[in-house]
């Protein structure tokens, strides 16, 4: 079975500071990894995805993540936080059983951005 | 291009009743999946449909069911509602290829409150 662990349910950073949200995965096969963001009272929006093409993945809104197989990690970063980045972030791994597919999510990290 | 559309957005039901939620996938997407999001359990996979067939199912009781129509639209039904069914129900669609890196797009969700 595949799983995802997000370290830190709440992260607080100052505006302009580095954002680092941690995600570690467990998978017996090469994983497909995703980061989604959820703003209050909204659905999930895809930030970026790793599908083995490149280990450093760039996403929307200035976010990027690096796949590190040796560390089984897929941490999300942004060089400079903005107030609009305040939201909940979910890391997910795709479970592929033949042609079927489902996402297994981490428990989420709520990002707070302060002035 | 329209995104994943879910209706209704908000609804309140009484224990013991049943509810039907609807989802229209992105045009051209043939796979539809459903997820339940609660504060306690997080995001959990319910089921996936493709070509009107359920091909993947999560660990939920039989009260949770779904179906997909020939136009790829999907509905999910929850019978004999319990208080614990109060949640955000998210529908997601993808174009569908055997490669599970195929991106999954989410709707805004249906907020169900059971009283």
């Amino acid at each position: 079975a595949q799983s995802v662990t997000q370290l830190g349910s709440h992260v607080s950073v100052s505006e302009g500071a580095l954002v680092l949200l941690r995600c570690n995965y467990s998978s017996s096969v090469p994983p497909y990894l995703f980061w989604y963001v959820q703003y209050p009272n909204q659905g999930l929006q895809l930030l970026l995805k790793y599908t083995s093409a490149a280990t450093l993945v760039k996403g929307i809104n200035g976010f990027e993540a690096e796949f590190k197989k040796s560390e089984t990690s897929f941490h999300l970063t942004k060089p400079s936080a903005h107030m609009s980045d305040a939201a909940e972030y979910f890391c997910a791994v795709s479970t592929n059983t033949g042609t079927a597919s489902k996402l297994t999510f981490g428990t989420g990290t709520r990002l707070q951005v302060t002035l | 291009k329209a995104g994943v559309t879910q209706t209704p957005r908000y609804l309140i039901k009484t224990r013991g009743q049943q509810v039907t939620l609807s989802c229209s996938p992105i045009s051209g997407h043939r796979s539809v999946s459903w997820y339940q999001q609660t504060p306690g359990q997080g995001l959990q996979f319910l089921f996936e449909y493709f070509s009107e067939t359920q091909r993947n199912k999560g660990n939920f009781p039989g009260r949770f069911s779904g179906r997909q129509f020939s136009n790829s639209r999907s509905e999910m039904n929850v019978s004999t509602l319990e208080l614990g069914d109060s949640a955000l129900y998210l529908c997601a669609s993808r174009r569908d290829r055997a490669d599970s890196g195929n991106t999954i797009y989410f709707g805004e969700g249906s907020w169900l409150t059971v009283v």
Side-chain angles (χ1 to χ4, degrees):
Chain A
Q2 296 171 307
S3 65
V4 166
T5 301
Q6 290 184 243
L7 299 176
S9 58
H10 289 84
V11 170
S12 182
V13 300
S14 300
E15 192 174 36
L18 171 73
V19 176
L20 170 60
L21 304 182
R22 300 178 186 274
C23 172
N24 289 88
Y25 69 91
S26 172
S27 176
S28 57
V29 296
Y32 295 100
L33 295 161
F34 305 82
W35 276 100
Y36 285 88
V37 61
Q38 186 175 38
Y39 298 100
N41 299 318
Q42 293 189 23
L44 300 173
Q45 181 183 5
L46 179 70
L47 279 176
L48 49 82
K49 65 177 182 180
Y50 166 76
T51 57
S52 76
T55 57
L56 182 61
V57 181
K58 294 187 183 298
I60 63 171
N61 302 338
F63 284 94
E64 63 181 39
E66 186 172 8
F67 173 73
K68 292 187 177 180
K69 184 178 178 180
S70 61
E71 298 177 8
T72 61
S73 68
F74 190 57
H75 301 332
L76 182 71
T77 60
K78 182 174 180 178
S80 177
H82 191 272
M83 296 296 289
S84 61
D85 295 326
E88 188 148 24
Y89 293 78
F90 293 93
C91 182
V93 61
S94 177
T95 304
N96 184 22
T97 55
T99 54
S101 179
K102 74 173 189 178
L103 290 170
T104 300
F105 286 90
T107 51
T109 298
R110 186 168 299 278
L111 175 66
Q112 180 183 22
V113 182
T114 60
L115 288 171
Chain B
K1 184 162 148 176
V4 179
T5 305
Q6 293 187 244
T7 56
R9 288 293 318 279
Y10 304 92
L11 66 167
I12 300 174
K13 291 287 188 178
T14 304
R15 272 183 300 176
Q17 288 186 316
Q18 73 166 11
V19 65
T20 299
L21 308 177
S22 181
C23 173
S24 294
I26 293 171
S27 178
H29 287 196
R30 299 192 300 167
S31 166
V32 174
S33 51
W34 290 88
Y35 292 78
Q36 181 197 63
Q37 185 177 24
T38 61
Q41 299 299 317
L43 283 152
Q44 294 186 290
F45 172 79
L46 280 157
F47 27 64
E48 181 191 12
Y49 286 86
F50 174 73
S51 291
E52 303 177 63
T53 301
Q54 184 185 91
R55 63 180 184 184
N56 206 352
K57 189 177 189 307
N59 188 26
F60 278 82
R63 300 185 297 107
F64 292 81
S65 63
R67 60 178 176 168
Q68 186 181 33
F69 303 95
S70 58
N71 60 0
S72 295
R73 192 176 68 84
S74 176
E75 289 181 348
M76 69 162 283
N77 182 274
V78 187
S79 63
T80 319
L81 284 166
E82 301 176 359
L83 295 179
D85 297 333
S86 295
L88 175 64
Y89 290 89
L90 291 162
C91 175
S93 77
R94 68 185 183 103
R95 188 175 301 280
D96 186 76
R97 288 197 292 261
D99 178 358
S100 68
N102 209 197
T103 304
I104 298 175
Y105 297 91
F106 285 83
E108 294 292 300
S110 291
W111 288 93
L112 170 65
T113 301
V114 182
V115 297

